[in-house]
Structures are given as C-alpha cells and as structure tokens.
C-alpha cells in the first residue's frame, strides 16, 4: 500500500535516515528534559491598545537542550505532539504559568494548547486539577488554540469546549488569518477572543490590501462580539492601524519580547506606578 511504499523509500534514502535519526535523538532528549522538568516558561507582555499598559502575559515554552542550546518551540512542540509527550509538557507549562501569574495580581494569563491535549477527553479534568492545585482564578486564564482541530473535529471540539467553559476559563482562537480561517466556525464555537496572526500584522507595512483585510477581520470579530488581540506587533505604523480598527489588545516585540518572570516583575512595577 501507499504507506509501505513510503517507508521503503525512506529506508533507502540516506538523507532521510539521518533526519529520522536526529529526530529520534531529539525525542529522547525531550522526554528526559520533560521528566527532569528542565523546560522553562517565558512570558510575553500583552498590552492595552488604549494606553500601552500591560494587562497580562502569554506563557511560551522554552527548551535548552543539553549540549546543543535552545531548540525552537516550532521544532519541539510538533515532536512532543507526535511522540505522546504533549500532555505532560502542556500540563507542566500550564501549572508553572498558573503558579507564576499569582505574582502579578490583576494579570490575565494565556497558555497555548495543542490539538493533542484538547483531543484528550480528560483534558478539562486535568485543567481543573491544575486550577485547584495552584488556586489560580479560572476567569483570569485563557487557553489559546488554533483552528485546525475545530474544523476537523467539530463535534468533539464542542464537547471539550463545553467542559472547559464549565470551569470558567476562556478560550481564544489563535493565529487567525494564517490558515483557512472561515466565518462559520468562528460563530459556531463562541470563542472568547480572537488573536490575529502575525503574518497579517507584518503585511500591514507591505501591502495596501492587508489593511483592508485587517479591517474586515476585526469588523467580523466585532460583529460577533469577540474582542481581538493582534500578535507580532513591531512598528508604530502597525499600532496606528490596529488602534483605528478597534483591536483592544496588542502583543509583539515593540512592547516586549518573551522574558523571564523576574523581568516581568519590573514591567509590572513600572505600570503599577503609572
Ligand atoms: P504562537 O502561540 O503564535 O506564539 C507567538 C510566537 O510569536 C512566539 O514564538 C513569540 O515569541 C513570537 N513573537 C512574539 N512577538 C513577536 C514579534 O513582534 N515578531 C515576531 N516575528 N515574532 C513574535 P515562539 O515562542 O517561538 O513560539 C512559537 C509557537 O510555538 C507558538 O506560536 C505556539 O504555537 C507554540 N508554543 C510555544 N509554547 C507552547 C506551549 O507551551 N504549548 C503549546 N502547545 N505550544 C506552544
Ligand atoms: Ca499563542
Ligand atoms: Ca499566534
Ligand atoms: Ca502559532
């Protein structure tokens, strides 16, 4: 069949062997790193579009691979997903972030959730457990998810979402505008927030049509009463456009890179004094 044909092909290609070997080694190291709790969590400021004050943070996983250095989440998250490590990794990040956010009273916390975690029927229970353990306030927590899973598994997605809703956490649709984003499911699932993908924000400085697309996207969200966060904001020109459209939250290098909790402490104190 098709599958065996593919593996035969891979078997006879030295390059692919090397690639698979490297991937296998990455997987082994990642498993060890997760077990030893060597992954870390950094926090990127999310600011109010109105006055630029920090309103919360997005938690992002980091892995410093022993003997190699930093591995990008775009590399290790997919590996965690295909090797059954994502549940453990995801709960570690959620737990650590919920514990840490208590240092900043009033802050909202966003945590990324992989389809693999969301698919697990026990996921809402796991979240509930972390909430109880850390005494984090569910209303301050937003779980960010991308659209793929919702399109492919509408019914199961609805059940999982209902379970999470009952806990009181919020659910945001991440990376909107990056894929085949459609109006239908945006409405169907009742997301609490939309995050516009950075590719669309970056295009604002390049193409006139991107400005129109941004306006249409935010107008759509507003018509459904869904507040909008723009991610990947890097320039003042982008801020100007985003304010005009009515985006209420901004996130990007212009306001702060993902940073350690200790570095967020100083941002917290700065904005508290303002
Ligand atoms: P994401 O959820 O879309 O996160 C935003 C990414 O954009 C982050 O990359 C962030 O560092 C980067 N970013 C923020 N501001 C700017 C900017 O102004 N310009 C540019 N060019 N980039 C900016 P990062 O940390 O490398 O994470 C990549 C992706 O990996 C995330 O995309 C998310 O999908 C995934 N990821 C990271 N941590 C976790 C996690 O704990 N769990 C899961 N499931 N996924 C995670
Ligand atoms: Ca995200
Ligand atoms: Ca995103
Ligand atoms: Ca992403």
């Amino acid at each position: 069949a098709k599958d065996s044909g593919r593996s035969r092909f891979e078997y006879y290609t030295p390059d692919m062997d090397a690639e698979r070997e490297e991937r296998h080694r990455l997987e082994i190291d990642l498993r060890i790193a997760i077990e030893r709790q060597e992954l870390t969590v950094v926090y990127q400021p999310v600011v109010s579009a109105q006055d630029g004050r920090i309103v919360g943070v997005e938690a992002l996983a980091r892995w410093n691979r022993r003997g190699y250095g930093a591995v990008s989440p775009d590399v290790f998250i997919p590996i965690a997903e295909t090797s059954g490590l994502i549940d453990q990794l995801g709960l570690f990040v959620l737990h650590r972030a919920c514990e840490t956010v208590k240092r900043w009273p009033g802050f909202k916390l966003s945590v990324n959730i992989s389809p693999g975690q969301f698919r697990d029927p026990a996921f809402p229970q796991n979240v509930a457990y972390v909430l109880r353990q850390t005494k984090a306030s569910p209303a301050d927590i937003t779980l960010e998810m991308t659209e793929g899973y919702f399109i492919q598994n509408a019914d199961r997605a609805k059940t999982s979402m209902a379970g999470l809703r009952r806990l009181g956490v919020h659910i945001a649709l991440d990376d909107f505008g990056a894929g085949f984003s459609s109006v239908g499911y945006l409405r169907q699932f009742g997301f609490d927030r939309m995050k516009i993908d950075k590719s669309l924000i970056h295009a604002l400085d390049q193409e006139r049509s991107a400005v129109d697309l941004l306006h249409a996207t935010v107008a759509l969200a507003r018509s459904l009463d869904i507040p909008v966060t723009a991610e990947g904001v890097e320039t003042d020109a982008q801020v100007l456009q985003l304010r005009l459209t009515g985006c209420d939250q901004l996130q990007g290098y212009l306001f702060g890179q993902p940073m350690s909790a200790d570095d967020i402490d100083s941002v917290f104190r700065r904005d508290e004094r303002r």
Side-chain angles (χ1 to χ4, degrees):
K2 220 176 174 183
D3 266 350
S4 61
R6 215 179 118 234
S7 51
R8 249 200 318 276
F9 171 68
E10 283 178 13
Y11 184 77
Y12 284 117
T13 308
D15 277 359
M16 281 214 160
D17 265 2
E19 221 169 89
R20 276 206 327 212
E21 278 255 341
E22 172 53 17
R23 213 194 131 84
H24 186 60
R25 259 185 258 129
L26 265 167
E27 188 186 313
I28 291 170
D29 286 0
L30 181 61
R31 190 179 301 273
I32 294 168
I34 293 171
E35 268 159 22
R36 294 184 182 158
Q37 307 219 328
E38 286 176 354
L39 267 62
T40 55
V41 180
V42 289
Y43 302 88
Q44 184 175 34
V46 177
V47 308
S48 154
Q50 290 273 303
D51 56 15
R53 285 167 73 128
I54 186 167
V55 293
V57 291
E58 177 176 357
L60 294 157
R62 292 290 179 267
W63 177 31
N64 201 354
R65 187 184 179 196
R66 281 189 185 201
Y68 291 86
V71 181
S72 165
D74 288 326
V75 172
F76 72 79
I77 295 289
I79 292 177
E81 278 168 354
T82 53
S83 54
L85 296 168
I86 195 65
D87 290 334
Q88 210 183 336
L89 186 160
L91 284 175
F92 168 77
V93 172
L94 183 67
H95 191 283
R96 173 68 58 84
C98 283
E99 193 66 51
T100 304
V101 80
K102 292 190 285 190
R103 291 161 71 161
W104 312 303
F107 271 23
K108 305 286 182 198
L109 168 69
S110 290
V111 179
N112 294 289
I113 301 300
S114 285
Q117 292 175 269
F118 195 59
R119 191 178 297 126
D120 180 358
F123 182 61
Q125 282 158 250
N126 293 338
V127 173
Y129 181 68
V130 172
L131 291 175
R132 275 201 306 278
Q133 273 197 321
T134 59
K135 300 191 172 64
S137 150
D140 290 339
I141 294 166
T142 299
L143 305 178
E144 296 188 359
M145 280 174 272
T146 49
E147 63 193 6
Y149 186 75
F150 295 93
I151 296 172
Q152 280 155 31
N153 309 275
D155 289 342
R156 276 166 72 184
K158 267 184 201 153
T159 312
S160 313
M161 250 178 116
L164 293 169
R165 277 263 164 63
R166 275 195 292 275
L167 302 175
V169 298
H170 297 275
I171 296 157
L173 181 58
D174 206 355
D175 296 354
F176 192 85
F180 301 96
S181 314
S182 85
V183 186
Y185 72 91
L186 187 62
R187 180 189 200 115
Q188 208 180 71
F189 291 102
F191 292 99
D192 302 295
R193 178 166 286 279
M194 175 203 282
K195 292 191 79 170
I196 298 186
D197 192 64
K198 53 179 177 281
S199 59
L200 180 54
I201 307 303
H202 294 169
L204 289 176
D205 292 341
Q206 266 99 57
E207 314 143 33
R208 170 70 221 176
S209 63
V211 176
D212 298 335
L213 187 55
L214 173 77
H215 280 265
T217 305
V218 180
L220 165 67
R222 288 174 70 112
S223 74
L224 296 169
D225 248 341
I226 304 174
V228 178
T229 303
E231 65 171 32
V233 181
E234 295 179 354
T235 69
D236 290 321
Q238 291 164 354
V239 175
L240 207 64
Q241 285 297 339
L242 289 161
R243 282 216 183 101
L244 283 174
T245 61
C247 254
D248 73 324
Q249 294 184 352
L250 310 176
Q251 188 182 346
Y253 295 162
L254 186 66
F255 307 102
Q257 302 252 348
M259 57 185 94
S260 69
D262 287 348
D263 287 338
I264 292 283
D265 281 343
S266 25
V267 182
F268 175 69
R269 286 196 298 270
R270 180 198 71 197
D271 281 11
E272 221 182 13
R273 283 195 305 267
R274 269 166 62 171

